[in-house]
DNA sequence: CTGAAAGCGCTTACAG
DNA sequence: CTGAAAGCGCTTACAG
């Protein structure tokens, strides 16, 4: 079948009113009489008319589009964020324009976003280059870096308290009597990794311990497996590993249990970060630090909405409290046993 | 900072050419001299100009937007589909407008999509009402139902061969010597469930067996747990369960192992459907039927692209082959042991 | 190759 | 409350 668009002009003709009247009838707070509106709505229904949002966007300069950029969705944390974010945005009359991209060509992607006249940008992966961030700011488009930040950038950010989260883990592990505590890092250039690691080391230092070993998993499943093999290659192995996120922690647990025939937590304790749904699954029961995704979404929405309304952009940084969720992958603190 | 839009007029002034020339310089196959284009591009860069896609969409009638609708993202199958679909679409110059909605208000959502002048719709959840599907067809917007279908609808569909998949499972379980084979259904009104179940029963019948017990999990984690408890409430339990998707199968395995202290696959075999990444995780090693997500995406893209290009919509139904992936949650067929 | 002009489908002052 | 008209930022015949 061929395309057959019906416009406000068609409706106006059928309802015998002006095109302006049709437009007004579809706007909440426009001055139209009930009679006119009824006539218009009836005609519109008959013709299957629906205002063209694209045209509205052009004239009003409000696309009601929010761009969301993610690098990959295999870490369940992100799908959940996208779902919650979309719902929240939809409730407010906005819609999500989704971009998937590995770090690298994000400059191109941000250009595309701006081409679509998006009213806001959420970067849930890969920090924005500062040049780009500045350009967005100049154009008046609020940008929020989700689960990451860049101090020198004009972009806002929303994170959990990764430093405190890392510290919590260190204390819990020390309290559990662990002596050879290792760390498996995520991507070393990510702010989440930097902060979790820094907080972790600080927590260890507070009990006069230092990290016993360290390997890099780059936030990938395979990277984490390799890191685990590396940490456990010699006779004497760590008795606890803090893994920079849950996604890697599952891989670590698999290698430990299947390849090394180790028992968790008796032989070795594992703690992750994020608290994705799988962390609560029976196959893992992972002790982890919960990122308050709902609070993070709320903060994101409020930064976006505020700056869109005010038509000004400024840098804001929201840091939400993280919480240790105790399950069964790490030995309990001594005083509890 | 305040918004400061730069338009093709601004660029034209700086480059000392007409506004048309600017427009042409940004179009692949327009007739502009190299000199003019160079002047324009230089001026554009200087001003930070980027063509307004919204305006282009309006004039050309091509928004380059594809709406994707999903109900929820907790079943990993969907995030992966969204990721692959987005990448494929981006490569072709299209972008994804994401809608999350539970069944119910999808009519409103589809209206919104059409308001955005999307060029195609992918429904990866909840079948479209036939009224709505017809309306889309009339407007010339191709709709593809992803991982579901509706025979009476003008919408296209892309699925795996769920009937054959179900049959495969039945044969494997029968060959494994199971005698009390149960089924945990997904949503009973979904085409995937209907087909998997029908194929499963057919497969059993081919070996003169019938399903020993059946419960409904509604494709949810909790629903599956309840269904499992129900199936295993009496002394004599099933010796195999085919679970309508992986997401539920993980929950089933958890209940079986933790609550019932059963050993998988020695005491009971479990087979799922989808082959999401978690199925290969050490904590589950789930034997399952793989849905060929890439082939399904390819089919979706080609249906969409073809119909967008031809500006006609017709109903197409792609059914891709499913494959049994043998891991460790089900006893191997007898002849192998 | 180039520019002037029409027009995509709306919203929104501006008069009445 | 209502209609005529301007204009959002582009693309695209139409002449030259």
């Amino acid at each position: 079948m061929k395309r057959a668009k019906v416009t406000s002009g068609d409706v106006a003709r059928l309802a015998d009113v002006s095109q302006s009247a049709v437009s007004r009838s579809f706007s909440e707070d426009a001055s139209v009489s009930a009679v006119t509106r009824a006539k218009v709505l009836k005609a519109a229904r008959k013709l299957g008319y629906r205002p063209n949002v694209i045209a509205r966007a052009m004239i009003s300069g409000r696309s009601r589009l929010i761009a969301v950029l993610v690098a990959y969705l295999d870490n369940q944390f992100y799908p959940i964020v996208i779902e919650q974010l979309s719902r929240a945005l939809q409730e407010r009359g906005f819609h999500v324009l989704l971009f998937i991209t590995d770090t690298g060509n994000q400059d191109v992607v941000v250009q595309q976003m701006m081409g679509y006249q998006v009213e806001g940008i959420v970067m849930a992966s890969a920090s924005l280059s500062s040049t780009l961030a500045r350009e967005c700011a100049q154009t008046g488009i609020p940008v929020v870096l989700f689960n990451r930040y860049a101090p020198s950038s004009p972009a806002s950010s929303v994170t959990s308290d990764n430093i405190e989260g890392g510290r919590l883990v260190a204390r819990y592990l020390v309290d559990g009597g662990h002596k050879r505590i290792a760390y498996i890092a995520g991507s070393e250039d990510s702010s989440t990794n930097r902060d979790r690691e820094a907080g972790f080391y600080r927590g260890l230092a507070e009990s006069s311990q230092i990290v016993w070993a360290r390997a890099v998993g780059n936030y990938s499943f395979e990277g984490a497996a390799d890191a685990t093999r590396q940490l456990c290659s010699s006779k004497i192995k760590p008795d606890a590993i803090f893994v920079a996120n849950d996604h890697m922690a599952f891989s670590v647990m698999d290698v430990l249990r299947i390849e090394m025939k180790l028992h968790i937590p008796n032989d070795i304790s594992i703690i992750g970060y994020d608290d994705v749904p799988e962390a609560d699954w029976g196959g893992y029961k992972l002790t982890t630090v919960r990122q308050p995704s709902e609070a993070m979404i709320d903060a994101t929405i409020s930064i976006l909405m505020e700056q869109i309304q005010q038509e000004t952009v400024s840098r804001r940084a929201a840091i939400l409290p993280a919480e240790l969720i105790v399950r069964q992958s790490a030995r309990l603190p001594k005083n509890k046993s």
Side-chain angles (χ1 to χ4, degrees), chain A residues 51-65 114-119:
Chain A
N52 182 331
V53 186
I54 297 285
R56 172 179 297 168
M58 247 214 25
I59 190 82
S60 66
R62 314 209 52 198
S63 67
R64 307 247 102 191
L65 250 26
M114 297 179 73
Y116 270 106
Q117 313 298 114
V118 298
E119 297 190 54

Side-chain angles (χ1 to χ4, degrees), chain A residues 91-317:
Chain A
E91 276 171 20
R92 286 166 180 77
F94 285 82
H95 290 101
V96 169
L97 197 55
L98 185 69
F99 293 82
I100 311 270
T101 186
D102 318 284
T103 28
N105 60 330
Q106 43 158 322
D107 284 43
V108 182
V109 172
V110 173
Q111 298 292 350
Q112 291 175 351
M113 292 174 177
M114 297 179 73
Y116 270 106
Q117 313 298 114
V118 298
E119 297 190 54
I121 297 178
V122 177
M123 309 272 303
S125 98
S127 298
L128 195 57
S129 76
S130 53
T131 327
L132 232 42
R134 207 158 300 120
E135 199 171 331
C136 288
Q138 270 161 19
T139 324
I141 303 176
V143 176
V144 3
L145 304 177
F146 189 94
N147 199 29
R148 62 221 345 104
Y149 68 90
S152 59
S153 160
S156 296
S157 65
V158 173
T159 60
S160 71
D161 191 340
N162 291 296
I163 294 183
E164 180 59 18
R167 205 168 138 270
L168 249 34
V169 172
R171 300 187 63 123
Y172 189 80
L173 253 18
V174 167
D175 288 351
H178 299 89
K179 296 299 175 200
R180 298 184 304 282
I181 303 179
Y183 179 67
I184 292 184
S187 303
E188 296 193 271
D189 59 351
S190 69
S191 63
T192 44
N193 180 261
R194 270 198 310 277
D195 286 356
R196 288 168 197 175
E197 185 161 8
F200 185 56
Y201 290 175
R202 184 182 307 169
L204 290 176
E206 284 167 6
S207 301
S208 309
Q209 281 209 226
I210 58 165
V211 73
W212 182 79
R214 176 188 189 276
V216 179
N218 271 313
Y219 285 141
S220 88
F221 207 77
E222 291 68 28
D226 287 342
T228 308
R229 293 184 192 107
Q230 198 178 311
L231 288 180
C232 298
S233 57
S234 59
K235 188 107 190 184
I236 164 161
K237 298 179 171 45
D239 61 1
I241 307 179
F242 172 33
V243 188
N245 77 358
D246 288 357
H247 188 65
M248 292 197 297
F250 302 128
S251 177
V252 170
M253 289 178 75
D254 283 356
V255 170
L256 255 21
R257 294 192 291 202
I258 299 171
E259 290 181 25
M260 321 256 165
K261 311 289 181 206
L262 256 27
H263 193 275
I264 298 170
N266 293 4
D267 299 327
I268 183 168
S269 290
I270 301 298
I271 296 187
Y273 204 109
D274 276 347
D275 195 28
V276 296
E278 290 95 329
D280 195 39
W281 287 8
Y284 296 91
K285 286 295 175 192
L286 181 67
T287 292
T288 190
V289 178
R290 175 176 296 166
Q291 296 221 74
S293 63
E294 288 184 30
M296 290 170 71
I297 298 288
D298 288 348
T300 303
I301 297 280
S302 83
I303 292 175
L304 246 26
M305 295 301 121
E306 184 187 314
Q307 306 200 2
I308 288 172
Q309 234 154 39
Q310 295 179 184
E311 298 190 8
T312 61
V313 350
S314 56
R315 183 175 194 283
R316 281 183 46 190

Side-chain angles (χ1 to χ4, degrees), chain A residues 1-69:
Chain A
M1 292 177 214
K2 197 72 173 67
R3 225 156 278 238
K5 260 181 202 155
V6 20
T7 72
S8 57
D10 301 328
V11 177
R13 215 165 302 124
L14 182 62
D16 199 33
V17 295
S18 72
Q19 184 270 325
S20 321
V22 175
S23 175
R24 288 193 188 98
S25 298
F26 280 93
S27 143
E28 288 294 302
D29 41 299
S31 51
V32 229
S33 68
V35 185
T36 304
R37 178 170 267 146
K39 265 202 299 187
V40 168
L41 260 30
K42 188 178 160 200
R45 204 169 316 116
K46 191 162 178 183
L47 297 176
Y49 171 74
R50 215 177 346 278
N52 182 331
V53 186
I54 297 285
R56 172 179 297 168
M58 247 214 25
I59 190 82
S60 66
R62 314 209 52 198
S63 67
R64 307 247 102 191
L65 250 26
I66 303 289
V68 174
L69 189 148

